[in-house]
Amino acid sequence: MRLAHGVTMLPTFMPVATQAAIKGLTPQQVEALGVNLILNNTYHLNLRPGIQVLKEAGGAHKFQGWNHNLLTDSGGFQLVSLSKFTKITEEGALFASPFDGKPTMLTPEESISIQHAIGADIVMQLDDVVSSLTVGPRVEEAMWRTIRWLDRCIEFHQKSGRDDVQNLFAIVQGGLDPELRDKCLDEMIARRDRVAGYAIGGLSGGEEKDIFWRVIKQCADKLPEDRPRYSMGIGFAEDLLVCVALGVDMADCVFPTRTARFGVALTPTGPLNLRLSKHAADMRPIEEGCPCPTCASGTARAILHHNATLETATAHAITQHNLVFQARIMGGARDAIINGTFPDYLKNFFANYFGDAGYPEWCVNALRSVGVDLLEGRSDVKVISGDGAKWEYSDAA
């Protein structure tokens, strides 16, 4: 994917820098990890530091010292996460600032204008977002409004003359209703000549994983193959690889950085809860052979356990490891796709990651839908219902 600030190879995972910073890391550190596409949040940057400051700085790239690609969320997600501060009208979303209560109207045009000032390489349309667990007429109302708001975003973006350097993505909505998703897909695809890519929105809000993957597949199957497809808010390793197998090119989530601050490191054999006492005298790195600065320097699990959730240096060390882990599993998927070995890559990953704990049934079903059978030749593997997320909760785990 060639953007104004360089080439980003797909599929890719985007770390989230909500306030123009990956928590705990400098831009130079993030760059050294091999990351070249991050996400900023339009809603938050509009409130603080404000668009005037960003304009005076020459845009968000210069403001945060980031010389690579940047995607901005439109602010639509805050319609859910900050719903007690929000009133939706056809004109836009009326926010009460969570800082001082000051009312702010975010219209589709204003959202794009803010993203223009930020200078993001990829800008997202403003969408009317409802929780993925919402049912009833509000879901269809939000879906049609998202389509109307897309038209307003497209018109404003094209009139600005910035569509040659900033790429507008549409966001597919429709909740968990296949019929509404299909209607939204048809409308979004009809506008394919005026958008650079598509996002699949309205998921990762607590819905069952068996429903989640079916919505992803429905959207990915229908969206144009010559446009990037971005699944919003996806961060667990198994979710990422299933989504890639279903046709997704891009994903973002706060998960790897947030979980690092709680002392949890991500590894090919599952998350490692470094707060547990069993790591107190363990002199091994988080992961043997990992190229991240934390592992490559020989930093022991013991010191990370000693300072987990107490010292910021430990949060930074685990954050660097987790971002490299995300990049490695996506990079591995990319290499396997190019080499024609992606099914084997998936089988090896799941065997190592879940081991004897059992494969999540939804992952098995999702991958079977695209011709990958995780159970082929593995009669010894258990299949477990539910989301199947793997965590260390105790020293006995």
Side-chain angles (χ1 to χ4, degrees):
M1 181 172 63
R2 191 177 301 277
L3 301 171
H5 287 83
V7 173
T8 293
M9 301 299 290
L10 303 176
T12 192
F13 176 82
M14 298 177 286
V16 177
T18 300
Q19 303 278 7
I22 304 291
K23 281 187 171 59
L25 302 184
T26 67
Q28 293 76 21
Q29 287 174 312
V30 177
E31 180 182 48
L33 300 178
V35 173
N36 65 9
L37 175 59
I38 63 174
L39 183 149
N40 283 177
N41 185 274
T42 298
Y43 169 82
H44 288 290
L45 292 184
N46 184 42
L47 289 177
R48 295 191 311 187
I51 295 308
Q52 190 57 41
V53 171
L54 290 173
K55 286 181 177 179
E56 290 176 4
H61 287 87
K62 292 183 178 179
F63 181 69
Q64 64 195 302
W66 179 248
N67 299 317
H68 302 281
N69 291 322
L70 180 63
L71 179 149
T72 40
D73 190 0
S74 64
F77 177 71
Q78 279 64 46
L79 307 187
V80 172
S81 64
L82 300 173
S83 57
K84 65 181 179 180
F85 298 108
T86 308
K87 180 180 180 181
I88 306 299
T89 68
E90 189 61 28
E91 181 184 0
L94 182 62
F95 291 93
S97 169
F99 303 116
D100 58 13
K102 181 180 178 181
T104 301
M105 173 62 78
L106 185 65
T107 66
E109 295 82 5
E110 180 66 12
S111 174
I112 297 300
S113 176
I114 295 167
Q115 293 180 81
H116 286 167
I118 290 172
D121 302 275
I122 297 174
V123 301
M124 305 301 299
Q125 75 153 110
L126 182 65
D127 53 340
D128 185 358
V129 183
V130 295
S131 165
S132 62
L133 302 180
T134 301
V135 296
R138 177 71 180 97
V139 180
E140 183 169 10
E141 174 193 336
M143 183 269 291
W144 286 114
R145 181 172 288 127
T146 293
I147 294 166
R148 294 191 295 273
W149 282 3
L150 173 61
D151 288 334
R152 290 166 60 183
C153 289
I154 289 172
E155 182 179 4
F156 186 88
H157 186 56
Q158 291 185 334
K159 284 182 178 179
S160 75
R162 299 190 62 83
D163 52 340
D164 58 335
V165 291
Q166 292 183 280
N167 299 274
L168 176 63
F169 277 33
I171 304 177
V172 179
Q173 292 290 352
L176 306 181
D177 186 324
E179 291 186 12
L180 292 182
R181 285 280 174 176
D182 257 344
K183 290 178 182 178
C184 193
L185 283 162
D186 288 340
E187 294 288 344
M188 298 297 188
I189 293 168
R191 294 153 174 80
R192 62 177 293 172
D193 292 336
R194 293 182 286 166
V195 296
Y198 294 91
I200 303 169
L203 295 174
S204 299
E207 72 279 0
E208 293 181 9
K209 290 290 189 178
D210 194 58
I211 297 174
F212 159 80
W213 79 259
R214 295 177 193 278
V215 174
I216 293 289
K217 186 176 192 310
Q218 177 186 3
C219 295
D221 282 351
K222 201 164 187 177
L223 288 171
E225 292 185 357
D226 63 347
R227 297 289 192 279
R229 291 170 285 194
Y230 162 29
S231 186
M232 308 178 83
I234 308 300
F236 288 5
E238 62 270 31
D239 295 16
L240 289 172
L241 290 182
V242 166
C243 284
V244 169
L246 296 178
V248 166
D249 302 300
M250 304 162 59
D252 80 286
C253 194
V254 298
F255 169 67
T257 49
R258 179 174 290 170
T259 200
R261 298 194 295 277
F262 288 96
V264 177
L266 308 178
T267 80
T269 56
L272 198 67
N273 186 347
L274 292 164
R275 292 172 296 169
L276 301 183
S277 61
K278 65 183 179 180
H279 302 297
D282 193 337
M283 297 303 152
R284 294 175 297 167
I286 294 171
E287 179 191 342
E288 297 285 355
C290 171
C292 82
T294 305
C295 294
S297 65
T299 302
R301 297 180 185 186
I303 183 63
L304 297 173
H305 164 81
H306 178 64
N307 286 322
T309 73
L310 300 175
E311 298 291 345
T312 57
T314 298
H316 303 170
I318 303 174
T319 295
Q320 290 185 83
H321 169 82
N322 285 357
L323 291 183
V324 169
F325 173 80
Q326 301 288 88
R328 288 172 70 204
I329 62 171
M330 294 297 263
R334 183 189 318 126
D335 292 343
I337 291 168
I338 293 170
N339 295 329
T341 58
F342 190 47
D344 289 336
Y345 177 80
L346 291 170
K347 292 175 183 178
N348 290 334
F349 172 84
F350 276 85
N352 291 327
Y353 195 78
F354 288 100
D356 296 333
Y359 294 168
E361 185 177 20
W362 76 271
C363 294
V364 173
N365 292 337
L367 293 176
R368 275 181 175 163
S369 76
V370 289
V372 179
D373 188 355
L374 293 178
L375 303 182
E376 184 179 17
R378 295 293 309 274
S379 59
D380 59 317
V381 176
K382 295 184 296 183
V383 176
I384 55 177
S385 59
D387 63 16
K390 184 180 178 184
W391 291 99
E392 284 190 318
Y393 291 109
S394 70
D395 286 305

